[in-house]
Structure formats: structure tokens, C-alpha cells
């Protein structure tokens, strides 16, 4: 402790040891240690500890201080007081939001970007009870490589100031259709099965489905899970004719149309050409799938 004995001693004053104290100033005073310190309450005893540190005054220290100021203090050998600096910590999320806003503003108030920090958000602790004020002092974005550098300054009521340099990358995003729930292989995808989600443009490859229309009416080649981009190679037209089932053959010969039963020898989607066995003639013909369990044949009826 660094203090000088006052020139004029006050009359005996009864003082009480304070509980553990948080210091808001840069120094420790008599009034920080004792209640009822009177005219010597602002007398400086020592520098305040740094942020995060503590200063412990034991019985002998306290007795010496009380004696120096002619105080009456009823203490015991077990008495002590813990003094620590009152500090405020900057919320890391506040720094992150400030950086993201600065990058978007520098890009022309772009809201269709995703921000990724390369720098780990630091812990910023400052002396004082009030929350530090934050401001962006510089921002630089590079639209060629998608990088950014932002400097954030934190200052408190005592004029102290700390700066934080943040860097990272930004990515343009776009909306693509994805499945709202898992769809099993062979199930037909309906409009109600689709929702839109935002993805980074650098993650979109040429085979990714970009339009709802490219999904509606299609069927997965395998089970597809929700919220994941769908590839064109994951899809096929739904098979509305199954191999081995009995279907209706529509036989066209000029203006005349006949129907007959046949057995599908292949699976088929709308518009596919499949082989069909005429159950009456036992002949195999090619037919174009035109509907569920239905195929059309345009040829001479005498050939079937």
C-alpha cells in the first residue's frame, strides 16, 4: 500500500470494515475499505488492481490503515477485504452483428449474403461499470475473392479504448427448392412436398435442381431427405406402368380406335416406349405409355 499519514488527525471515529468491494476508479481509497471514513474517505491508498485481478488486504494491513487515520476499528485476526476492479465485458454477439452489418452496408446493403468469420471473436474486458460503446472504424470488402476486414473499437466512460480486427469471407446466397419431408423411392413429388431454402451460390453445382417445376411430378431414384439440395440425377419420371402388370392397350389404325388387354414387359414412365404382350394374340408390340396402366399403339391392327 502506498499512502501518507494525514497531517491532522481527526478525532477518533468508529469505522466498520466493508464487504468485498468492486472498484470503479483507478485507485483504492480509504472509503473503499471502511464505512464511516469521514473526511479521509477519498484518501488514496494504492492503485486499483487491473481488470481480472484482485487486491486482498489482511488484518495487519487494515490495522495499519485504521491506526494511520486515528480510527477506532474492532477487528480480528481473521478479517480481510477483497478488492477487485469493476469491469464490463463486451458481448461477443454484439461484435459479430456489428461486423456483419458493416460488411452488408459496404456491399450496398446486401441482405442476400452469408458472413463467415475467420477471426475468433475475442473477449474484450474494460474497466468501469457502464457497457462499452462499440463502433466500426474501418471496413474493407473485396468482391473478387469475397473477403473482408473490419475494425471495431470499444470505448468506455473513462476514455479507455480497445480495437478488434476481424476478417472473414462473405458468400452470395440464393433460394433453391428442397423437400419439406423425406420422400421414398418411387413416390411422386407434389407441390406440397417442396419448400424453398437459402444456400450459398458457391455450393450450387450444375446438376442441382433450381426450379420447383423440375421437381413437381418427378420421383426419387432413392430416398431423399429433407432440407438438402436435390440433384437432377436423383430424379426420374414416375413409373406409371409396372413390368408384369396387365395394362390397357389403345390400338389406333387411322380413324379407328380399339382397346385390348396386354401384359407390360417393361417398366414405363409417361412417354416411354415399352414392350407389351398382347394376351389374345400372344404377339409382342411396342407401345408408348400415355397414362396409368395405359399404352398406345399406332400400327396396322392385323400385325397384332
Amino acid at each position: 500500500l502506498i499512502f501518507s499519514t494525514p497531517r491532522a488527525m481527526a478525532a477518533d471515529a468508529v469505522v466498520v470494515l466493508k464487504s468485498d468491494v468492486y472498484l470503479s476508479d483507478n485507485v483504492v481509497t480509504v472509503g473503499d475499505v471502511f464505512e464511516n471514513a469521514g473526511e479521509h474517505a477519498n484518501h488514496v491508498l494504492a492503485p486499483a488492481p487491473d481488470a481480472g485481478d484482485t487486491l486482498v488486504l489482511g488484518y495487519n494491513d487494515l490495522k495499519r490503515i485504521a491506526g494511520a487515520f486515528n480510527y477506532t476499528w474492532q477487528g480480528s485476526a481473521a478479517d480481510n477485504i477483497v478488492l477487485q476492479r469493476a469491469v464490463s465485458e463486451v458481448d461477443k454477439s454484439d461484435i459479430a452483428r456489428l461486423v456483419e452489418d458493416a460488411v452488408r452496408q459496404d456491399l450496398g446493403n446486401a441482405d442476400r449474403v452469408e458472413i463467415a468469420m475467420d477471426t475468433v471473436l475475442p473477449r474484450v474486458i474494460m474497466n468501469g461499470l457502464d457497457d462499452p460503446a462499440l463502433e466500426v472504424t474501418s471496413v474493407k470488402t473485396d468482391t473478387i475473392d469475397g473477403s473482408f476486414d473490419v475494425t471495431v473499437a470499444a470505448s468506455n466512460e473513462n476514455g479507455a479504448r480497445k480495437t478488434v480486427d476481424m476478417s472473414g469471407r462473405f458468400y452470395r446466397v440464393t433460394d433453391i427448392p428442397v423437400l419439406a419431408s423425406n420422400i421414398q423411392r418411387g413416390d411422386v413429388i407434389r407441390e406440397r412436398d417442396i419448400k424453398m431454402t437459402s444456400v450459398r451460390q458457391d455450393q450450387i453445382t450444375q446438376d442441382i435442381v433450381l426450379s420447383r417445376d423440375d421437381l413437381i411430378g418427378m420421383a426419387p431414384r432413392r430416398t431423399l431427405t429433407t432440407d438438402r439440395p436435390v440433384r437432377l440425377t436423383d430424379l426420374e419420371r414416375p413409373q406409371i406402368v409396372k413390368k408384369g402388370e396387365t395394362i390397357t392397350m389403345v390400338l389406333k389404325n387411322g380413324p379407328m380406335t380399339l382397346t385390348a388387354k396386354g401384359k407390360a414387359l417393361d417398366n414405363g414412365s409417361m412417354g416411354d416406349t415399352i414392350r407389351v404382350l398382347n394376351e389374345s394374340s400372344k404377339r409382342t408390340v411396342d407401345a408408348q405409355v400415355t397414362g396409368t396402366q395405359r399404352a398406345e399403339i399406332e400400327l396396322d391392327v392385323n400385325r397384332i
Side-chain angles (χ1 to χ4, degrees):
L1 295 178
I2 304 173
F3 65 91
S4 60
T5 302
R7 294 179 181 177
M9 293 293 186
D12 287 354
V14 178
V15 294
V16 178
L17 183 65
K18 286 188 173 182
S19 300
D20 294 346
V21 173
Y22 286 89
L23 303 167
S24 57
D25 293 328
N26 296 323
V27 294
V28 179
T29 65
V30 175
D32 292 325
V33 178
F34 290 116
E35 299 280 3
N36 196 32
E39 63 179 298
H40 300 298
N42 294 325
H43 191 95
V44 176
L45 299 176
D50 293 331
D53 292 338
T54 60
L55 173 63
V56 180
L57 301 182
Y59 172 75
N60 290 332
D61 299 317
L62 298 170
K63 184 178 179 181
R64 188 156 57 93
I65 296 171
F69 293 93
N70 201 27
Y71 292 145
T72 299
W73 172 58
Q74 300 299 323
S76 67
D79 283 336
N80 66 66
I81 185 172
V82 177
L83 303 160
Q84 55 186 347
R85 195 66 167 267
V87 297
S88 55
E89 183 170 355
V90 178
D91 193 325
K92 291 182 180 181
S93 63
D94 290 340
I95 298 176
R97 280 193 296 269
L98 206 61
V99 171
E100 291 180 5
D101 290 344
V103 172
R104 289 193 171 93
Q105 290 177 11
D106 200 60
L107 293 173
N109 292 321
D111 59 350
R112 304 293 292 161
V113 294
E114 178 181 312
I115 309 297
M117 306 284 187
D118 291 338
T119 308
V120 176
L121 287 168
R123 187 180 183 191
V124 180
I125 299 177
M126 303 190 71
N127 295 326
L129 296 172
D130 294 337
D131 291 335
L134 297 177
E135 64 173 331
V136 173
T137 58
S138 69
V139 55
K140 179 182 178 182
T141 57
D142 190 326
T143 56
I144 296 178
D145 66 6
S147 64
F148 68 82
D149 294 284
V150 177
T151 299
V152 176
S155 56
N156 65 12
E157 70 277 11
N158 297 324
R161 187 178 179 88
K162 293 183 179 181
T163 59
V164 176
D165 295 320
M166 301 295 299
S167 62
R169 305 187 65 81
F170 61 89
Y171 304 90
R172 303 287 182 176
V173 299
T174 190
D175 290 337
I176 65 170
V178 295
L179 298 176
S181 59
N182 295 348
I183 302 295
Q184 303 298 316
R185 176 183 179 184
D187 290 347
V188 178
I189 300 173
R190 310 297 182 186
E191 186 169 4
R192 64 175 180 270
D193 300 320
I194 302 170
K195 66 178 182 179
M196 303 300 289
T197 191
S198 297
V199 297
R200 287 170 21 182
Q201 291 182 357
D202 66 314
Q203 296 176 340
I204 299 177
T205 56
Q206 291 184 343
D207 61 340
I208 295 295
V209 175
L210 301 178
S211 170
R212 286 175 175 264
D213 294 338
D214 292 333
L215 279 178
I216 296 173
M218 300 298 284
R221 297 180 183 272
R222 57 181 179 83
T223 298
L224 298 180
T225 56
T226 182
D227 295 326
R228 297 177 64 87
V230 179
R231 291 179 169 78
L232 294 171
T233 53
D234 293 332
L235 304 172
E236 63 182 1
R237 289 176 296 174
Q239 296 178 353
I240 55 178
V241 171
K242 300 300 177 81
K243 180 179 179 180
E245 71 179 357
T246 299
I247 67 172
T248 298
M249 295 186 301
V250 180
L251 315 172
K252 289 189 175 182
N253 183 27
M256 183 175 63
T257 299
L258 301 174
T259 60
K261 295 297 182 182
K263 181 179 181 181
L265 301 180
D266 302 301
N267 295 321
S269 302
M270 180 68 75
D272 287 348
T273 298
I274 63 171
R275 294 172 301 143
V276 180
L277 175 66
N278 188 320
E279 294 180 341
S280 298
S281 66
K282 304 303 181 185
R283 292 178 180 273
T284 299
V285 296
D286 292 334
Q288 185 179 47
V289 176
T290 57
T292 304
Q293 297 179 331
R294 190 177 183 89
E296 187 175 293
I297 304 169
E298 293 190 16
L299 43 75
D300 189 339
V301 72
N302 295 323
R303 293 180 58 192
I304 63 172

